[in-house]
Amino acid sequence: MAVRMFGFLRKRPPTADNPAAATAVKGADQATDAAAALPTPGSISPSAATEPAPRAGWMQRLKAGLKKTSSGLGEVFGFAQVDEATFEDLETRLLMADVGVDATERILDELRGTVKEQGLRDGAQVKAALLTIMQRILAPLERGLLIDREAPLVIMITGVNGAGKTTSIGKLTHHLQAEGKSILLAAGDTFRAAAREQLTTWGERNGVQVISQQGGDPAAVAFDAVSAGVARKTDVVLIDTAGRLHTQKHLMDELQKIKRVLGKALPGAPHETLLVLDGNTGQNMLAQVKAFDEAVNLTGLIITKLDGTAKAGAILGLAHMRRNAPIPVVFIGIGEGIDDLQGFSAMEFTQALVG
């Protein structure tokens, strides 16, 4: 399959239960043979042979986007010999990148162990060992988003105000359409006219209908959208929920209601519950993930605005915190362009982060 610029499109191999190959949205850009199994979470195998120029363009933008975070990390290993001062410098820079105390301690402990076991002293060798450790920590966050497994596939988008939910929905809509998917949008923020207008603008730009109500019940809008999606045989229904602070119980209760109503409109819905996180919030992402997951059982994360922050290392802290129950980072965003929302690859992110 030719992988397009979006960089995470795949085909699931035919099976006895599913004779049609299902399309998946995946972080690494690699060609997948029709007979190959779907990559398991954490697999990292981008293919340079598959449209190398577009993916190289993405990597260039990713490195530029993470420059505020990565500028300090890459400088640690500029010396020929690595000593205790190097580890102290690395510790400081990891903390400055908002990796977090616990994750930083884990990284340093593993790195010291590798250096001692393998007798590493050269800066380039220790840097390579650091890359391997970070990649291993982040690998469980990789997962493809299967978009052919249900019809319609119902995706509920959540997050706090200003995280980038509506913009992410617009970009995701564009790229799903590139795969031939029909889309229906639901404006679940029924009280803010600006939110409805923003989603309507994205709908008009992509030629997609938006189901909305002024001042109505958000759960009712979600129900109507899914019902319409079923009746029209729409491929994907995207539910935009109102931005809400995770500390406000009544708003989280409303989010739980929307999810229950979606299940009544279509058993099994929502099939994906994604939380959009602003990369600028750094370690605060961990508290948001915990609160939203407890409320609605998240299936994936979208991390936006990584190009404007020096705190992108918080993703490592998130991976460490959730190591026993990882929630995948399905997409990351590093700009305003349509192609600046891409699937998450642990290898690519680590390389861009360390430099």
Side-chain angles (χ1 to χ4, degrees):
M1 182 189 76
V3 181
R4 298 192 181 98
M5 181 64 186
F6 202 22
F8 50 60
L9 306 176
R10 297 181 181 278
K11 290 291 184 180
R12 184 168 65 183
T15 66
D17 296 328
N18 178 28
T23 302
V25 181
K26 178 64 180 172
D29 178 23
Q30 67 184 94
T32 303
D33 187 89
L38 181 69
T40 57
S43 61
I44 305 172
S45 51
S47 171
T50 307
E51 303 215 15
R55 200 60 187 179
W58 160 247
M59 275 300 298
Q60 191 173 38
R61 297 200 307 279
L62 181 60
K63 288 179 180 179
L66 295 180
K67 188 174 182 179
K68 289 183 179 180
T69 303
S70 66
S71 59
L73 290 176
E75 298 171 359
V76 175
F77 303 100
F79 302 98
Q81 294 293 317
V82 172
D83 53 21
E84 184 57 31
T86 307
F87 285 100
E88 292 178 2
D89 188 13
L90 177 60
E91 178 180 23
T92 299
R93 294 177 190 246
L94 288 172
L95 292 173
M96 289 177 62
D98 226 16
V99 172
V101 174
D102 291 342
T104 294
E105 184 178 350
R106 175 185 174 184
I107 291 169
L108 290 174
D109 285 348
E110 292 190 20
L111 184 59
R112 288 178 190 275
T114 300
V115 167
K116 181 178 180 180
E117 180 182 342
Q118 300 182 14
L120 305 180
R121 286 293 179 268
D122 179 79
Q125 293 176 328
V126 179
K127 180 180 179 179
L130 175 65
L131 284 166
T132 300
I133 291 168
M134 286 184 168
Q135 186 175 329
R136 184 169 61 247
I137 291 173
L138 291 172
L141 300 187
E142 287 191 342
R143 178 178 67 82
L145 184 65
L146 294 175
I147 59 175
D148 280 348
R149 68 184 190 271
E150 300 288 345
L153 181 73
V154 179
I155 303 176
M156 184 169 77
I157 309 293
T158 66
V160 303
N161 291 313
K165 296 185 308 301
T166 306
T167 300
S168 295
I169 288 174
K171 293 177 181 180
L172 183 55
T173 297
H174 172 80
H175 295 297
L176 289 171
Q177 284 184 310
E179 281 298 289
K181 299 298 177 186
S182 57
I183 316 292
L184 189 62
L185 304 180
D189 192 341
T190 58
F191 295 98
R192 289 195 311 131
R196 296 193 304 276
E197 291 172 1
Q198 185 183 10
L199 191 65
T200 299
T201 298
W202 275 107
E204 291 174 349
R205 187 179 302 176
N206 293 314
V208 173
Q209 183 179 356
V210 179
I211 305 296
S212 65
Q213 293 179 11
Q214 181 176 351
D217 185 347
V221 174
F223 184 93
D224 289 346
V226 173
S227 299
V230 172
R232 302 174 191 178
K233 301 185 184 304
T234 304
D235 295 319
V236 182
V237 178
L238 293 169
I239 311 293
D240 184 13
T241 61
R244 60 200 69 231
L245 288 175
H246 54 289
T247 54
Q248 298 182 0
K249 185 178 184 302
H250 69 287
L251 293 178
M252 300 303 283
D253 289 343
E254 182 183 84
L255 195 63
Q256 291 175 324
K257 178 183 176 182
I258 294 173
K259 185 171 183 178
R260 289 195 304 270
V261 169
L262 288 173
K264 293 179 180 179
L266 179 65
H271 306 105
E272 295 284 351
T273 303
L274 306 181
L275 173 65
V276 180
L277 296 162
D278 181 342
N280 290 287
T281 60
Q283 284 287 305
N284 189 48
M285 288 193 298
L286 279 62
Q288 292 182 37
V289 170
K290 184 176 185 295
F292 277 90
D293 187 44
E294 289 176 350
V296 292
N297 296 320
L298 299 173
T299 62
L301 308 173
I302 300 175
I303 302 179
T304 65
K305 307 179 185 181
L306 289 172
D307 54 318
T309 182
K311 302 179 178 181
I315 298 180
L316 283 155
L318 176 64
H320 173 73
M321 182 191 77
R322 301 288 311 200
R323 61 190 179 281
N324 295 323
I327 300 176
V329 177
V330 186
F331 311 120
I332 58 174
I334 48 94
E336 295 298 323
I338 284 291
D339 291 317
D340 290 332
L341 180 71
Q342 292 278 341
F344 176 73
S345 161
M347 181 182 67
E348 290 178 347
F349 184 84
T350 302
Q351 289 178 342
L353 188 66
V354 178

